[in-house]
Amino acid sequence: MTKRNATSHLCSLFSLTHTLCHFQGGGFVQVGRVATVTALAGASGAITLLCVGWFHREGNVLDLGLCINGLLSGMVATCSGVGYYDPWAGLPIGATGALSYYGMAWLLDRLRIDDPVGASPVHLGAGAWGMLCVAFFVNPAYLDGSTSDNTGIFFGGNGKLLAWQLAAISLDFAWPMATCSLMFWTLNKFGLFRVSEEAELMGMVRVSGILNVFHA
């Protein structure tokens, strides 16, 4: 991993933390729980992919880029229901969110779909998994007027929340696919879809790192 690319990942982390601090409300107790769940999920995701990189990749390497993407994936996976989780829930959600990132990154690589900084696996893979986690980990103690319909399965929920989350994931996937497919088809039709030959030869990871430096 280049120094520029590592800086890009760290900037993304700080941006996510900044957003968390500004938009999570509900009093000091809830904010403290939100911060704890998020921190534990990030740590769990980072350690999970640090271990995956060591045991699963050739040469037993400690991959900083993989570790940071695991941290981001763990944090992303908590976003859907972070205000309604017990602190301990951050650990399994973060670890499985990181693994969902790794699985999607592997699949994209096998399908020869280029994603230079792993943005799709972090946000789509871990994000979709995080939406499913809501149906299992939501604690009714943090809900006003909770019923078995909106309670996590691990706390006695009847599974209706899981059905709603699956429907939401389907809609979240269908709408961008439809609109973005139209946009990209139009760009491709007018020859505006591809980057320059110079950028192709240089590599988009390096180009994105240079752009991040210029925009800092």
Side-chain angles (χ1 to χ4, degrees):
M1 160 176 274
T2 64
K3 291 182 179 179
R4 287 194 180 113
N5 199 20
T7 302
S8 173
H9 283 296
L10 288 172
C11 287
S12 299
L13 169 61
F14 293 143
S15 297
L16 182 61
T17 306
H18 179 77
T19 303
L20 172 70
C21 292
H22 276 74
F23 290 99
Q24 291 294 346
F28 288 111
V29 173
Q30 184 176 9
V31 170
R33 188 173 66 252
V34 165
T36 302
V37 171
T38 306
L40 288 174
S44 178
I47 293 172
T48 297
L49 289 198
L50 197 66
C51 294
V52 167
W54 178 260
F55 290 107
H56 186 251
R57 292 194 167 185
E58 185 177 352
N60 299 115
V61 294
L62 294 175
D63 190 329
L64 176 61
L66 187 63
C67 178
I68 294 176
N69 273 338
L71 185 149
L72 290 171
S73 300
M75 295 172 74
V76 166
T78 66
C79 287
S80 294
V82 66
Y84 308 101
Y85 296 149
D86 287 316
W88 63 264
L91 296 173
I93 292 174
T96 52
L99 291 174
S100 69
Y101 155 81
Y102 192 77
M104 184 173 177
W106 175 86
L107 179 62
L108 290 179
D109 186 59
R110 292 297 297 267
L111 295 175
R112 302 179 66 82
I113 298 175
D114 190 21
D115 186 348
V117 295
S120 297
V122 166
H123 296 285
L124 175 58
W129 176 254
M131 291 180 70
L132 288 179
C133 288
V134 170
F136 293 92
F137 290 97
V138 167
N139 187 336
Y142 307 128
L143 295 172
D144 293 328
S146 64
T147 67
S148 59
D149 288 348
N150 60 11
T151 296
I153 292 173
F154 293 155
F155 294 90
N158 58 15
K160 189 172 183 178
L161 185 57
L162 177 60
W164 279 113
Q165 292 301 102
L166 287 170
I169 292 171
S170 300
L171 289 174
D172 285 344
F173 183 77
W175 175 254
M177 280 292 293
T179 55
C180 290
S181 295
L182 177 61
M183 179 184 69
F184 291 139
W185 179 86
T186 303
L187 289 173
N188 189 54
K189 189 72 174 178
F190 289 96
L192 301 173
F193 187 62
R194 296 185 67 90
V195 297
S196 66
E197 183 178 354
E198 179 184 3
E200 286 186 2
L201 294 174
M202 183 183 296
M204 286 305 295
V205 171
R206 187 176 176 188
V207 171
S208 65
I210 293 173
L211 290 176
N212 281 332
V213 170
F214 286 151
H215 290 165

